[in-house]
Amino acid sequence: MQGKPRIPLNDYGVLGPPPRLGEWRPTLAVSVVIPAYRAEATLPLTLASLAHQSYPAHLLEVIVVDDGDEPLGPLPGPVPERLRVIRRPPGTWGKANACAIGAEAADGDVVHFVDADLVLFPEHIEAHMRWHHLADYLVVLGRVRFTPGLDETPAGEVLAAIEAGALAKLYAEEDTVPQWTERHWDESADLRTAGLRAFHVTVGATTSLPAELLRTAGGVDRALVLGEDTELGYRLAQQGAVFVAERAARCWHLGPSTVMRREREVKRHNWPYLAERVPTFRWLRRHPARSHLVPYVEVVVPVGNASFEAVRATVDGVLAARPADLTVTIAGPWGRLRDGRRDPLADPDLDLRLIRACYAGEARVAFQESVPGSAFPAPFRLHCPPGWVPARHTVASLIKHADRHGLGLICVALEERGARIVHARLERTAAVNRARRCAGPHDRIDDLVHEMFGSVWTAGETWGFTRAGAAVPPPRARRPRRGRRDAPTGGALRRTTTRLRRRLRALVRPAAR
């Protein structure tokens, strides 16, 4: 039995064209989640447009999460048949929190986030949902155009256009402003050639995704006030999601967005939060020795039967490597260590104890009995056998090579031991998770990674791996000089004095003549 559709990188074109609008029979239910804050003027128009959708009403529910300081009043005008209004719990607030509340309350197979100042064309939901019937790991992004606000176009005029099915006549195309994401769509064949960067254009105005995929990725991060959509897009990508740009899912945004009005302030606010949570935004992580909430790469070192010295050589080499925003997981039977009386020098678990003692104070090192199936939410995992030491550039070079070629797996052969090849392997989290999602009962994960992302075998010496005994030890920290670090030394003072005397003589001689 074959598994689910296998999409290489982000080229969802392999699925073929989606069903033509109005010429297919949907079966999946969708929950539209609308976070509402100070939206009394625009929310009725959003709900009216949802009440006039071509998608079957019995498969469409709408959940409004009231995030205002005071409860919403009665909602006038036409509303969807299945409408729920949920009040945020006391002490909580923000769009991300409202989206999380709505998603948790949703009953649909698909969760569709919609802003409370959007007016959707009648086929908007249907255009999204036809993709979700083709594969269950797609994130579909709608096409947003910014129009004059209600200060220029009366709400009654907008409502009349909705009820008459004449939204397209309300504004001329040249009078609308495309969302910034549309330029990236144009440059990447509607994201099909965007590859690993496709998630960058995830915006929350009109985004739909399978409810199960959202849960697997951890849901919306309630701790974020802004930028929650980009951060969610990153985590969805690490779960193997494919991002679809759907131009037929049209909608009007009433007035300019916050980003359009205050772009520099929004970026200044968002970047510190995203730097901690989105490792692939390398321009936000310029410090050479910082750690972050989500590491760029997790390095796994299995203890097995290795000695303390072999494990220490490997772990120390990794900790001295670039990039610095990595973590190390030492996998071993830590549970068998007991604190009772023992012979400290004849302890059969002495090497295990020494390893744990050696890194007890190192925040980047964790001890685990077994390693989870993927490094999520970190984008990479490097498996490195003990006794082999990467050079300082090894990890960064492997990641750079994987990104340049879109690879999901790099296997690095280190030595032959009989019929077995001892090797290190760099895994891309997104590739491994998508392979698991698509695998049938008899599929090998590495084969699916190779099919959808690509994989290579290469030699260890090419990337700087060496045996522990032959490895160059990490550089020692320099001992600070005594006294003030910024005070010049005696030699420096003498050189400066000599230089100044020469310049003075050169000035005096012409004057004397």
Side-chain angles (χ1 to χ4, degrees):
M1 175 181 173
Q2 189 176 7
K4 300 173 183 177
R6 301 168 183 179
I7 302 174
L9 289 175
N10 205 68
D11 186 11
Y12 57 88
V14 299
L15 296 175
R20 293 173 63 89
L21 295 173
E23 299 180 5
W24 63 295
R25 180 173 295 179
T27 59
L28 297 178
V30 57
S31 298
V32 177
V33 175
I34 306 176
Y37 174 70
R38 293 181 179 178
E40 291 79 5
T42 58
L43 178 60
L45 302 175
T46 304
L47 294 177
S49 67
L50 284 166
H52 290 80
Q53 288 294 304
S54 62
Y55 203 71
H58 70 281
L59 295 176
L60 170 64
E61 73 165 346
V62 177
I63 302 172
V64 174
V65 183
D66 181 6
D67 189 40
D69 298 326
E70 299 294 333
L72 281 170
L75 296 170
V79 296
E81 292 181 13
R82 300 172 60 207
L83 172 65
R84 285 188 280 163
V85 178
I86 300 176
R87 178 73 178 157
R88 62 171 173 82
T92 67
W93 65 280
K95 181 180 178 181
N97 178 70
C99 288
I101 292 171
E104 291 169 0
D107 295 327
D109 304 295
V110 173
V111 175
H112 189 152
F113 295 111
V114 170
D115 282 356
D117 48 8
L118 291 184
V119 176
L120 311 180
F121 280 66
E123 71 284 353
H124 187 97
I125 301 296
E126 182 186 354
H128 273 259
M129 290 300 296
R130 58 184 181 164
W131 286 104
H132 295 299
H133 286 73
L134 299 182
D136 65 357
Y137 58 98
L138 304 181
V139 178
V140 184
L141 311 174
R143 181 171 178 257
V144 181
R145 286 286 178 125
F146 295 89
T147 66
L150 296 181
D151 53 338
E152 298 185 35
T153 307
E157 187 176 336
V158 178
L159 182 59
I162 293 172
E163 295 184 327
L167 275 178
K169 299 179 180 179
L170 189 61
Y171 303 102
E173 191 83 0
E174 58 269 18
D175 294 334
T176 64
V177 178
Q179 195 174 41
W180 62 270
T181 57
E182 208 167 316
R183 174 170 53 86
H184 294 277
W185 294 11
D186 296 339
E187 296 170 349
S188 60
D190 290 345
L191 300 182
R192 290 195 298 273
T193 62
L196 304 169
R197 298 172 54 86
F199 82 88
H200 290 206
V201 297
T202 307
V203 292
T206 167
T207 298
S208 65
L209 68 161
E212 184 274 333
L213 177 64
L214 178 61
R215 287 190 294 270
T216 304
V220 182
D221 189 346
R222 299 170 188 253
L224 295 176
V225 180
L226 295 173
E228 77 290 337
D229 44 9
T230 302
E231 190 274 338
L232 175 60
Y234 164 77
R235 282 186 285 117
L236 292 170
Q238 303 318 305
Q239 283 296 333
V242 170
F243 296 81
V244 177
E246 178 50 87
R247 293 181 184 267
R250 298 181 297 163
C251 60
W252 298 138
H253 188 289
L254 300 174
S257 67
T258 302
V259 175
M260 294 171 66
R261 291 183 283 107
R262 306 172 68 178
E263 181 179 0
R264 293 184 64 182
E265 295 170 86
V266 169
K267 288 181 177 179
R268 180 176 183 268
H269 177 279
N270 288 354
W271 282 359
Y273 291 94
L274 295 180
E276 289 297 301
R277 294 164 172 82
V278 184
T280 55
F281 286 174
R282 301 310 292 165
W283 68 90
L284 298 181
R285 294 189 175 186
R286 298 191 181 278
H287 196 284
R290 275 283 314 276
S291 296
H292 299 271
L293 285 176
V294 180
Y296 193 32
V297 56
E298 177 199 26
V299 181
V300 175
V301 180
V303 173
N305 297 320
S307 67
F308 159 62
E309 288 78 12
V311 173
R312 181 179 62 179
T314 300
V315 175
D316 282 355
V318 170
L319 293 176
R322 295 179 181 145
D325 52 337
L326 56 77
T327 59
V328 180
T329 298
I330 307 178
W334 310 108
R336 77 186 190 199
L337 298 181
R338 298 290 183 264
D339 294 331
R341 183 185 293 276
R342 63 185 182 276
D343 185 338
L345 301 183
D347 183 359
D349 294 322
L350 177 59
D351 286 84
L352 275 179
R353 294 186 188 278
L354 294 180
I355 294 168
R356 191 174 67 174
C358 185
Y359 298 104
E362 175 53 68
R364 292 191 290 166
V365 173
F367 303 91
Q368 293 192 21
E369 295 274 335
S370 60
V371 181
S374 80
F376 179 85
F380 292 99
R381 172 182 280 172
L382 174 66
H383 296 264
C384 188
W388 289 89
V389 184
R392 194 177 184 194
H393 65 83
T394 299
V395 180
S397 297
L398 284 170
I399 292 174
K400 185 177 180 180
H401 184 72
D403 280 345
R404 182 182 295 120
H405 300 283
L407 298 173
L409 175 64
I410 299 178
C411 294
V412 184
L414 301 175
E415 68 172 343
E416 291 187 34
R417 289 183 184 171
R420 185 170 67 93
I421 299 178
V422 177
H423 66 282
R425 53 185 279 144
L426 179 74
E427 299 171 347
R428 186 182 298 278
T429 303
V432 172
N433 283 334
R434 188 183 300 177
R436 288 201 173 98
R437 187 173 293 276
C438 296
H442 305 294
D443 289 322
R444 293 182 66 252
I445 297 301
D446 284 8
D447 291 342
L448 295 183
V449 169
H450 179 76
E451 179 181 341
M452 292 186 284
F453 288 80
S455 63
V456 296
W457 274 86
T458 184
E461 58 269 18
T462 305
W463 302 99
F465 283 95
T466 54
R467 288 184 178 276
V472 178
R476 295 183 178 181
R478 293 182 178 180
R479 181 179 299 176
R481 294 175 177 175
R482 295 180 180 178
R484 292 181 56 187
R485 294 289 303 273
D486 56 350
T489 62
L493 286 174
R494 286 192 295 272
R495 289 191 294 273
T496 302
T497 302
T498 302
R499 185 170 63 254
L500 291 175
R501 284 175 176 171
R502 290 174 180 170
R503 291 183 60 187
L504 180 60
R505 285 197 295 269
L507 293 172
V508 169
R509 287 170 184 165
R513 287 197 295 270

